[in-house]
Each structure stands twice: as C-alpha cells, then as structure tokens.
Amino acid sequence: MRTRIRKHLRTAKYIVYKETLIDFKEHFWTFIGAFFGVGIIGLLNSKYFTANDNLFLIGSFGASSVLIYGIINSPLAQPRNLIGGHVLCAIVGVTIHKLIPGEVWLSSALSVSISIVLMQITKTLHPPGGATALIANIGSAKIQSLGYLYVLSPVLSGATILLIVAIIVNNRTSHRSYPNNKKWYRVWHRYRR
C-alpha cells in the first residue's frame, strides 16, 4: 500500500512540475504580440478619437489576444475563427439590437446565444465573439449609434490588426508557427471537388 501511495505521489509531483514549467521564450513572444496588437489599436484610438469614444478598442479584443498570442495552436485562435467569429457576432449583435432596442436583457441574451449557434454552424467558433455581440447591445451610446458600421470599425479593422500582428510575431522564431494552415487565405480552394 505504501509503495503504491509513494508511486502516485511521485507521478503527481512530476505532472505538477511539467505543468508549471516556465518557457521564457514562449512568454516573451506572447507578451510582444499582445502588446503590439492591442497597442496599435489603442494608439489608433487615442490619436483619432477622444478617450470617451473608444471606437477602435473593445473588450473582446483582450480575450482574442489571449487566444492568438498565447494559445496559437488552438483551433479557436485560427484566422478564420478570429475574423469570422468577430464579424458574424457583430452583425448578429447589431441586428438584434435594432430589432429589440428597448429590452437590453433580451437583446443581449439573444445576441450571444444566436451568435454561438451561428459560429458553430459556420465553423468560426471564437469565444470572444460572444462579447463582441454583447458589446453591440450594452456598449456606449456612441457604439450603439454606429449601427452596422460597428461591424467594420472597430470589429473588422481591429480583428485584422490583431491578425496581422499575430502572423508577424508568432512566426519570428522556429518554435512558434501561426496559423496552423499556411494557406488559410485560399478560401475558394476548399470548396472544389
């Protein structure tokens, strides 16, 4: 019995040790990507808009940064998911807000739930997209007044900036490669038979 307990303890120590190893190179590139991705959007925001507008910088970009700079091999972090998820959810969020403008609880719940299902159907699942749909409903009056322009700026423009920075930063070293499919932009070839 004692031998078995000791063996389990050694196994547990090994697993805890392996799971808590610090890879400084990985953390460095994650920091650089997130800093420049969000920093460029924030710089554009501060140069062209007042602090109260916040038109380029939305909260869901922080969560996207975790995926595309920190967990770069995740299917949820790939370009199709990043761009498609954000844009689809922004369209849904704005549409639902226009259909049900007075009931924030209902428009918010519908926006997020419809967005998730549509991302599943279109295979563009990107968790921060749910926040993008929610922001269209609970965001400031300035964001809500944008209507469908919200889809183009901040959502599409910001997601594109994040993607460009991710492609540049995540491919600077030999141990990081992003995206998984290097021909991700060739959408039209996927549907040939």
Side-chain angles (χ1 to χ4, degrees), residues 71-88:
I71 319 171
I72 63 174
N73 294 321
S74 169
L76 305 174
Q78 300 310 305
R80 172 189 172 108
N81 298 62
L82 172 69
I83 302 291
H86 275 299
V87 169
L88 180 67

Side-chain angles (χ1 to χ4, degrees), residues 111-129:
S111 293
V112 172
S113 56
I114 291 171
S115 292
I116 293 169
V117 171
L118 287 178
M119 285 190 294
Q120 287 175 325
I121 290 170
T122 60
K123 298 190 182 339
T124 57
L125 196 60
H126 187 67

Side-chain angles (χ1 to χ4, degrees), residues 47-168:
K47 288 288 184 188
Y48 298 106
F49 301 101
T50 66
N52 295 331
D53 288 342
N54 291 326
L55 290 183
F56 280 158
L57 201 55
I58 56 175
S60 55
F61 290 158
S64 290
S65 294
V66 171
L67 289 170
I68 66 172
Y69 305 120
I71 319 171
I72 63 174
N73 294 321
S74 169
L76 305 174
Q78 300 310 305
R80 172 189 172 108
N81 298 62
L82 172 69
I83 302 291
H86 275 299
V87 169
L88 180 67
C89 292
I91 291 169
V92 169
V94 172
T95 302
I96 297 298
H97 179 71
K98 286 187 173 292
L99 292 174
I100 311 169
E103 297 294 331
V104 175
W105 72 271
L106 182 59
S107 63
S108 297
L110 278 173
S111 293
V112 172
S113 56
I114 291 171
S115 292
I116 293 169
V117 171
L118 287 178
M119 285 190 294
Q120 287 175 325
I121 290 170
T122 60
K123 298 190 182 339
T124 57
L125 196 60
H126 187 67
T132 300
L134 185 61
I135 291 167
N137 289 279
I138 65 167
S140 68
K142 187 82 169 172
I143 286 180
Q144 291 178 357
S145 69
L146 287 172
Y148 286 104
L149 287 177
Y150 171 74
V151 176
L152 298 176
S153 178
V155 175
L156 179 59
S157 61
T160 303
I161 290 169
L162 291 175
L163 175 62
I164 291 168
V165 171
I167 289 171
I168 293 169

